Amino acid sequence: MDIAYLKKAALVCGLVLAAWAITPAVQAENKGGQNDGCCCSGNSCCCGNGCGASASNQATPATSGRASGINRADLDTSVDLHQDFYHYAIGGWQKANPIPSDQARWGTFTILADNNTKLLHEILEDAAKSPKSSLEEKLGTFYKSGLDEKAIEAAGVTPLKDDLEPINSITDLKTLQKVLVECHNLGLNPYFSLDSAQDDKDSTRQIATIWQSGLGLPERDYYTRQDERSKELRSQYVKFVENLFKLSGFSAQKAKAAAQHVMDIETRLAKASLPAAEMRDPQKMYHLMHQEGLTKLTPSLDWSTYYKGIGIAQPKDINVTVPEFMQAVNVLLSDRSLLEAHKDYLRWNLIRSAAPYLSKDLEQCHFDFYSKTLRGTKVMKPRWKRVTDVVSSLVDQGMGQLYVQRAFPPESKKRVQDMVENIKAYMAEDIPRLDWMSETTKKAALEKLSLLKAKIGYPDVPRDYSKLEIGTSYYDNMRNAMRFEKRRSLGKIGQPVDPNDWYMPAHMVNAYYAPSDNEIVFPAGILQPPFFDPRSDDAANYGGIGTVIGHEISHGFDDQGAQYDGHGNLRNWWTKEDKVKFDKLTKGVEDQFSSYTVQGQHLNGKLVLGESIADLSGLALSFGAYQHSLNGGAGEVIDGFTPAQRFFLNYAKVWAINISPEMEKLQINTDPHPTANWRVNGPLSNNTDFFKAFDIKEGDAMCRPVDKRNKIW
């Protein structure tokens, strides 16, 4: 499993693992004298086969001057919404939006991300031609170096050979560990990763934290599953490793042996790794110790040399998230008989990370496995897109600074801030009404809610990139950017937490909740239609960005976030009886999502539990806050849809997607988010407001039996 994912999962709860214009509404299609959609008159609507076809012509016209936010062309009225609301709501969109050949999935998030990439490309083109600041000069130069294919092809694998030389010089386990330090300095994570993170039980400070790492396949179970597909994938992976070794200058015989060494080392690491679902439990991931404890756990590792090599003083406290994993690493690094295997494994980490930045044959080989085989992507993106993605990823906060100057009007920030406060206020009114929670725990929940902070748009304090070195070599620029970020992160160890720090750049189409900060963050990149449109009325916006806001707030009260108090500390604030009730409620959500299948495989309800709770609760909170904002009014019918219908239809539109079978399989194996259809149909099948809006009845697939409905917040 990629360490970036693990660290992000440990720190934040994100919305996903990316602009479209609202087109004029069209009249609903009538079939056989009946309307499969909804017929509205005044402020009441009928949904289903029993509705008269002419009622939609009597809809009350909008008087607010705002658009409905709903495009009827997105619907597929041949689908019975009572049985499958997701495909009813976005089936038309799916037919009109096939997956481009350079994508593995194509949906609301990816379309926005693709549009953002085009804007970032314009920014980089301008920066390359006429930079207006030191930051723009660095970004423009980095971008130009990536477009210089002639220089990249001429260099071939020479830059890689220079970095491989220290590995070639390894003669014993002592020199092996010195080279391991250099790999970590490059931002690579063979064997394990050591970096900074907030102390879960003292959120005011940054401490050294060690995570399990070192795998080339997506996560641990890819190495252990015994089904035929998994066996075949492992065989393809070994062949891919062998091919990339050969392209890097190794003989066929050496490449074959090296590939098997890599697989052997990674399999041992995988078997020692904690499953992804268990890593969601912060208590299981907290093992604070002093250096004496770490030395006792891993006596084969020379930590004094390691700390000196990565440029930090010996940490006072270290959180070893998975001690059993580090014990396995200790055994591996003490085995002299594995010296050649270790060297090949370190070479592989370097080669794998380098391939996308070197000549075409290495880049293509890397793409063929990680994008084509694992994700189902047919062709590479154009080079300008690939380079733009690299620069905006490796110098992400710098790109975000330039992005918001062009793409984020201040009035959007104010309107979203008002929605945040409205949803928080509604939750503050709703918590006292909960019938399963005692007054003592309600008081603590309200305190946590009152302390919750929100960041919207972009960081108030720009990140300083003055020490980032950028030159003419694309490969060197990549390495320098990774070193810069690693040094920046390691430099936080032992320091107070910076309240201005963001874990996502402004251009990212995503959002997150950070439990150790008790804060929700909404980058400017997501504040676009269909999530947020200043032209649309509030119903659609609450169904879009409102549910995102509710989702992120709810993460503070999901099975993971509920273990942290209002100050971000891992501390129990529940009475014993209430915690038992809460665990029973969350088990109901886990069981619901475990019952869903995708490609014949059940979802891992424990893995997706936090996101499913956030979807379920965020939906309810946003709808309640929207109703509250009407101050007792009914709202307008616009384009034939009631406010409630617009809310739920736009909620579904947020999750509109087409996805390759390979990417979908990767998601259900590795992603803590359910697949899009279940992110819509799953929560909605518990929601009584949704039932009323679309005339959903007992017995309909979209209506869970009363005794099985899930509601927490």
Side-chain angles (χ1 to χ4, degrees):
M1 184 182 295
D2 185 81
I3 188 63
Y5 165 77
L6 292 185
K7 289 166 64 178
K8 191 65 68 180
L11 292 168
V12 301
C13 303
L15 184 67
V16 291
L17 268 161
W20 58 281
I22 297 176
T23 58
V26 297
Q27 292 299 314
E29 180 182 4
N30 295 327
K31 296 185 178 181
Q34 294 179 332
N35 189 337
D36 293 320
C38 300
C39 310
C40 306
S41 178
N43 286 325
S44 63
C45 284
C46 170
C47 300
N49 293 334
C51 301
S54 63
S56 62
N57 295 324
Q58 302 171 15
T60 302
T63 58
S64 65
R66 293 196 182 276
S68 69
I70 306 301
N71 179 8
R72 285 188 182 271
D74 291 337
L75 311 183
D76 183 352
T77 57
S78 69
V79 176
D80 185 350
L81 64 87
H82 305 84
Q83 306 305 313
D84 182 359
F85 186 75
Y86 178 73
H87 288 101
Y88 164 82
I90 62 98
W93 181 95
Q94 285 184 314
K95 294 172 185 176
N97 289 274
I99 306 173
S101 59
D102 64 353
Q103 302 282 342
R105 52 187 170 188
W106 193 242
T108 299
F109 285 86
T110 45
I111 289 173
L112 287 182
D114 193 65
N115 287 341
N116 283 354
T117 296
K118 293 172 184 175
L119 178 56
L120 294 172
H121 174 234
E122 293 177 9
I123 292 171
L124 288 172
E125 284 281 350
D126 291 345
K129 294 173 184 175
S130 54
K132 299 178 177 63
S133 66
S134 173
L135 175 61
E136 287 193 20
E137 183 176 10
K138 290 181 179 183
L139 292 170
T141 301
F142 194 170
Y143 172 72
K144 284 191 294 185
S145 71
L147 293 183
D148 192 351
E149 294 182 82
K150 184 177 180 179
I152 293 170
E153 292 299 319
V157 296
T158 300
L160 179 60
K161 287 183 177 180
D162 292 341
D163 283 341
L164 286 171
E165 188 54 40
I167 301 175
N168 299 334
S169 301
I170 292 173
T171 56
D172 53 27
L173 296 178
K174 184 175 182 180
T175 53
L176 168 69
Q177 291 191 36
K178 289 182 178 179
V179 175
L180 171 61
V181 171
E182 292 308 309
C183 289
H184 283 191
N185 279 331
L186 290 175
L188 310 180
N189 297 289
Y191 300 107
F192 65 92
S193 171
L194 186 147
D195 216 323
S196 62
Q198 281 171 268
D199 184 345
D200 271 341
K201 294 189 177 181
D202 182 0
S203 63
T204 64
R205 65 175 189 157
Q206 293 275 358
I207 60 172
T209 304
I210 296 175
W211 286 274
Q212 66 186 39
S213 186
L215 305 184
L217 285 170
E219 55 94 35
R220 69 183 295 276
D221 290 347
Y222 277 75
Y223 295 84
T224 59
R225 292 190 190 97
Q226 293 305 309
D227 59 280
E228 291 305 312
R229 166 61 179 158
S230 296
K231 291 179 181 179
E232 173 60 22
L233 192 60
R234 286 195 289 273
S235 177
Q236 291 174 300
Y237 178 61
V238 172
K239 190 63 178 176
F240 157 61
V241 177
E242 181 182 341
N243 288 339
L244 207 49
F245 265 108
K246 286 192 288 189
L247 290 171
S248 301
F250 293 79
S251 70
Q253 182 179 3
K254 173 60 179 172
K256 187 177 183 66
Q260 193 55 56
H261 283 156
V262 168
M263 193 62 179
D264 291 344
I265 294 287
E266 290 186 0
T267 300
R268 292 180 64 168
L269 291 172
K271 289 179 177 179
S273 298
L274 201 65
E278 293 186 40
M279 293 181 71
R280 293 194 60 259
D281 186 344
Q283 296 287 356
K284 288 185 177 181
M285 299 292 287
Y286 189 80
H287 303 92
L288 195 68
M289 57 184 70
H290 298 307
Q291 184 58 47
E292 293 79 4
L294 180 57
T295 300
K296 184 177 180 180
L297 186 71
T298 57
S300 299
L301 275 72
D302 181 357
W303 288 106
S304 177
T305 298
Y306 181 87
Y307 296 139
K308 183 178 180 180
I310 63 173
I312 65 171
Q314 178 177 299
K316 179 181 178 182
D317 294 304
I318 306 154
N319 180 22
V320 182
T321 57
V322 189
E324 297 79 8
F325 178 83
M326 288 306 295
Q327 286 178 317
V329 170
N330 179 73
V331 171
L332 270 175
L333 292 177
S334 64
D335 192 338
R336 292 177 175 82
S337 69
L338 295 176
L339 187 62
E340 286 305 313
H342 286 308
K343 292 169 69 173
D344 285 335
Y345 172 68
L346 290 177
R347 291 181 180 114
W348 171 240
N349 276 264
L350 193 66
I351 292 169
R352 177 164 56 92
S353 70
Y357 308 92
L358 296 173
S359 55
K360 292 177 181 178
D361 51 355
L362 279 89
E363 185 181 17
Q364 185 68 51
C365 183
H366 187 278
F367 170 86
D368 285 345
F369 182 78
Y370 281 115
S371 295
K372 186 176 289 185
T373 299
L374 281 182
R375 293 173 170 81
T377 311
K378 294 180 175 63
V379 300
M380 282 189 192
K381 296 177 182 178
R383 186 157 192 92
W384 68 264
K385 272 191 178 183
R386 304 201 305 275
V387 177
T388 298
D389 287 345
V390 167
V391 177
S392 61
S393 174
L394 295 183
V395 196
D396 59 350
Q397 295 291 343
M399 284 301 304
Q401 293 172 32
L402 303 185
Y403 171 84
V404 296
Q405 295 173 12
R406 301 198 189 191
F408 190 59
E411 56 269 22
S412 293
K413 184 171 184 175
K414 175 63 169 62
R415 193 169 171 192
V416 173
Q417 182 66 58
D418 290 343
M419 293 177 72
V420 170
E421 295 305 318
N422 195 17
I423 293 171
K424 283 180 62 179
Y426 176 78
M427 189 175 187
E429 292 181 8
D430 193 55
I431 287 174
R433 294 192 288 262
L434 296 174
D435 59 7
W436 58 270
M437 183 181 279
S438 71
E439 294 303 316
T440 299
T441 307
K442 286 178 182 177
K443 182 179 179 180
L446 288 168
E447 179 186 9
K448 178 171 184 176
L449 180 64
S450 71
L451 292 171
L452 181 114
K453 304 177 290 293
K455 294 176 179 175
I456 297 170
Y458 51 89
D460 292 331
V461 179
R463 185 164 296 174
D464 180 10
Y465 284 96
S466 60
K467 294 183 179 180
L468 172 62
E469 297 179 3
I470 297 295
T472 58
S473 166
Y474 188 44
Y475 180 88
D476 289 346
N477 289 336
M478 174 272 294
R479 291 294 184 214
N480 288 344
M482 293 184 71
R483 284 192 191 95
F484 173 87
E485 182 55 34
K486 186 70 176 182
R487 286 197 299 267
R488 188 195 70 84
S489 184
L490 289 173
K492 296 193 292 185
I493 294 174
Q495 300 299 315
V497 170
D498 181 0
N500 297 305
D501 211 3
W502 283 49
Y503 302 127
M504 289 179 183
H507 55 273
M508 183 168 283
V509 184
N510 210 331
Y512 68 86
Y513 170 77
S516 292
D517 297 305
N518 192 26
E519 69 179 14
I520 51 178
V521 181
F522 306 96
I526 198 173
L527 302 179
Q528 304 179 61
F531 297 97
F532 175 74
D533 186 352
R535 301 168 299 171
S536 294
D537 103 296
D538 280 348
N541 280 327
Y542 271 92
I545 196 63
T547 61
V548 174
I549 294 168
H551 173 104
E552 300 307 338
I553 292 174
S554 299
H555 270 311
F557 302 88
D558 67 14
D559 65 308
Q560 185 181 49
Q563 298 184 57
Y564 294 81
D565 65 18
H567 297 285
N569 295 314
L570 190 58
R571 180 185 68 83
N572 180 44
W573 47 270
W574 298 73
T575 66
K576 183 177 180 180
E577 295 78 10
D578 287 346
K579 188 61 168 63
V580 169
K581 293 177 184 177
F582 177 72
D583 290 343
K584 183 178 180 180
L585 291 172
T586 62
K587 186 62 167 62
V589 178
E590 178 186 334
D591 291 345
Q592 176 185 347
F593 282 83
S594 290
S595 72
Y596 296 144
T597 59
V598 179
Q599 297 189 32
Q601 179 178 332
H602 283 273
L603 296 183
N604 184 340
K606 188 178 292 292
L607 177 63
V608 303
L609 179 57
E611 299 300 331
S612 300
I613 293 172
D615 284 340
L616 174 71
S617 302
L619 188 70
L621 288 174
S622 183
F623 186 81
Y626 169 67
Q627 293 289 96
H628 189 270
S629 73
L630 296 175
N631 295 316
E636 298 176 284
V637 173
I638 306 177
D639 292 339
F641 296 107
T642 67
Q645 290 168 345
R646 298 196 300 277
F647 177 96
F648 292 113
L649 284 169
N650 204 43
Y651 174 71
K653 179 59 182 288
V654 162
W655 301 111
I657 196 171
N658 283 310
I659 186 169
S660 72
E662 296 88 348
M663 188 70 213
E664 187 175 60
K665 179 67 76 171
L666 182 65
Q667 178 178 350
I668 61 179
N669 285 333
T670 64
D671 198 327
H673 303 83
T675 52
N677 58 324
W678 294 124
R679 294 195 77 168
V680 175
N681 286 353
L684 289 180
S685 65
N686 298 288
N687 192 292
T688 55
D689 293 308
F690 166 71
F691 302 158
K692 294 174 185 176
F694 289 97
D695 197 29
I696 307 295
K697 304 294 188 184
E698 290 283 347
D700 292 339
M702 287 304 306
C703 180
R704 288 175 64 80
V706 174
D707 62 342
K708 291 187 178 297
R709 285 180 201 162
N710 292 301
K711 182 182 185 301
I712 301 178
W713 303 99

